[in-house]
Amino acid sequence: MSLFSTHSFANEKALIRVDFNVPLDKQTYAIGDDNRMRAAIPTITKILKEGGSVILMSHLGRPKDGPETKSSLIHIVGHLQSLVSAAMNKEVIVQFANDCIGEEATQKSANLKAGEVLLLENLRFYKEEEKGDAAFAQKLSKLGDVYVNDAFGTAHRAHASTAVIAQFFEKGKKMFGLLMEGEVKAAELVLHKAEKPFTAIIGGAKVSDKILIIENLLNRATDIIIGGGMAYTFMKAQGGHIGKSLCEEDRIDTALEILKKAAEKGVNIHLPSDSIVADNFAADANTSTAPSNAIPDGWMGLDIGPNACEQFANAIKKSKTILWNGPMGVFEMEKFQHGTKTIAIAVAEATANGAFSLVGGGDSVAAVNQFGFTDKVSYVSTGGGAMLEYFEGKVLPGIAAISE
Ligand code: AMP
């Protein structure tokens, strides 16, 4: 059992680092996608139900020079209140402190009673937050009795509220929240306890963004599927003709190096044998099918083709562990989403047959949501950059600070 699950929060003030960095409308400040807020609700309600109180701290946007209206967390108070009230089945008032440290925050948190919630103003109104300033972190730490980190999306940052603050709480008084716990558990399972065959599906636009993750996975996966725009650099590296498909000339040697290492380690690299090609990067482009290594001049590969779909789906369906990061094509356009959809179906089928599947990284998560497959995979990560860095083999400061 985890520390968070077994800890009793009765009469404690829990200082929770959440990720409420939600998109706000530029004019009305209405919240666009509230998934990040919803994701924190189970952690908040567990504490409230046990008779604890909750102090929430987050960043929002990228304020440059101190406080600014468009990045104020005051815009989300009303919605937060309705989410918490709905989850608690009673009205819960969410109080707000106009500054995350200082007199008002100190007073309001000191006066907080069991079952009450306080939201602090944007942490990034202070430069000290991103600098990981210890004195600032210490001031924040004074507001709560126990520190809960539930912001996996910022776990790869050594900021004051995500990592540095942990040193001011004793062992047993610092822990992951439920969201963070779930993310860490899923990620650890895939990286360290993967049942084989373990297939990693890596897609997206650029090889350069995914080199580190591929290199780390070469030591762990049995199969690596490479799709999306990055596949064409590999095709060209092997002497293929790729028309005007995406290609990173300066990564051709890297692609060859990856193929060589994979062969040495006995990892199967799957590249798309064919592609859906288009005469233009546009939703209404003319399309055709071509071998991925023989794309006619003037055409570009924008999705994996029918043979590649079959080839990739077969590998996926044999897997016991699946990691998916990055789409197989330009899934934002209907003509080029078939490949990504086929992969989603294959991952769902493997999951139904007992495989553990983790989807992580912004665009594959968006694709899985868009196609309605969120509930058909084992875990969908909320932390794009953090998950990527985890799979690159890096130590995430937000995790290390709690685990130490
Ligand atoms: P990433 O953020 O690296 O995972 O890349 C995601 C982006 O890659 C999406 O916006 C896709 O439209 C784009 N993408 C995927 N396949 C291709 C392709 N064959 N050509 C150009 N862009 C692609």
Side-chain angles (χ1 to χ4, degrees), residues 19 21 33-40 150-156 178-184 186 358-362 365-366 369 374 379-388:
D19 179 4
N21 184 26
D33 177 349
D34 70 347
N35 271 323
R36 286 181 169 160
M37 294 173 72
R38 289 179 184 276
D150 216 15
F152 185 72
T154 51
H156 55 317
L178 291 170
L179 170 67
M180 183 93 167
E181 223 172 66
E183 295 273 0
V184 172
L358 188 156
V359 184
V365 172
N369 288 339
T374 312
Y379 198 83
V380 178
S381 172
T382 57
M387 199 49 109
L388 203 61

Side-chain angles (χ1 to χ4, degrees), residues 142-331:
K142 297 248 190 288
L143 301 175
D145 305 313
V146 48
Y147 168 65
V148 179
N149 188 351
D150 216 15
F152 185 72
T154 51
H156 55 317
R157 310 273 184 229
H159 293 172
S161 69
T162 61
V164 180
I165 191 170
Q167 66 187 285
F168 301 110
F169 293 87
E170 309 164 5
K171 238 186 159 60
K173 295 280 184 190
K174 48 184 164 183
M175 60 199 76
F176 300 137
L178 291 170
L179 170 67
M180 183 93 167
E181 223 172 66
E183 295 273 0
V184 172
K185 220 160 104 189
E188 273 180 353
L189 210 150
V190 170
L191 205 55
H192 300 295
K193 297 174 202 147
E195 209 183 315
K196 300 210 165 137
F198 169 15
T199 299
I201 310 160
I202 308 294
K206 290 183 172 167
V207 181
S208 46
D209 290 344
K210 308 285 164 92
I211 292 168
L212 294 175
I213 191 171
I214 294 178
E215 283 191 338
N216 194 30
L217 289 168
L218 282 173
N219 298 318
R220 301 177 190 276
T222 49
D223 295 76
I224 301 180
I225 290 174
I226 297 177
M230 56 189 282
Y232 301 102
T233 302
F234 283 85
M235 288 295 161
K236 183 143 188 203
Q238 291 174 296
H241 194 91
I242 61 167
K244 54 176 184 178
S245 306
L246 216 57
C247 180
E248 288 170 276
E249 295 286 345
D250 57 339
R251 296 298 178 181
I252 287 192
D253 287 345
T254 314
L256 286 174
E257 189 66 21
I258 288 171
L259 293 172
K260 187 166 157 253
K261 276 193 198 156
E264 284 163 11
K265 290 175 192 277
V267 177
N268 305 310
I269 299 276
H270 304 260
L271 287 160
S273 53
D274 59 352
S275 291
I276 303 295
V277 295
D279 59 354
N280 201 356
F281 189 88
D284 60 354
N286 293 309
T287 61
S288 179
T289 307
S292 301
N293 60 2
I295 296 176
D297 286 340
W299 291 71
M300 63 182 94
L302 293 186
D303 195 7
I304 56 172
N307 291 332
C309 280
E310 200 182 323
Q311 167 204 355
F312 288 1
N314 285 340
I316 292 166
K317 285 182 206 164
K318 283 188 210 134
S319 311
K320 286 271 165 252
T321 307
I322 299 162
L323 169 68
W324 183 9
N325 175 289
M328 294 293 101
V330 185
F331 75 102

Side-chain angles (χ1 to χ4, degrees), residues 22-49:
V22 290
L24 295 183
D25 183 274
K26 283 196 177 71
Q27 257 99 48
T28 63
Y29 304 125
I31 299 165
D33 177 349
D34 70 347
N35 271 323
R36 286 181 169 160
M37 294 173 72
R38 289 179 184 276
I41 298 298
T43 295
I44 297 171
T45 51
K46 178 193 187 268
I47 296 168
L48 295 180
K49 281 180 183 160

Side-chain angles (χ1 to χ4, degrees), residues 344-364:
I345 293 169
V347 174
E349 207 174 306
T351 311
N353 288 329
F356 183 83
S357 55
L358 188 156
V359 184
D363 274 319
S364 33

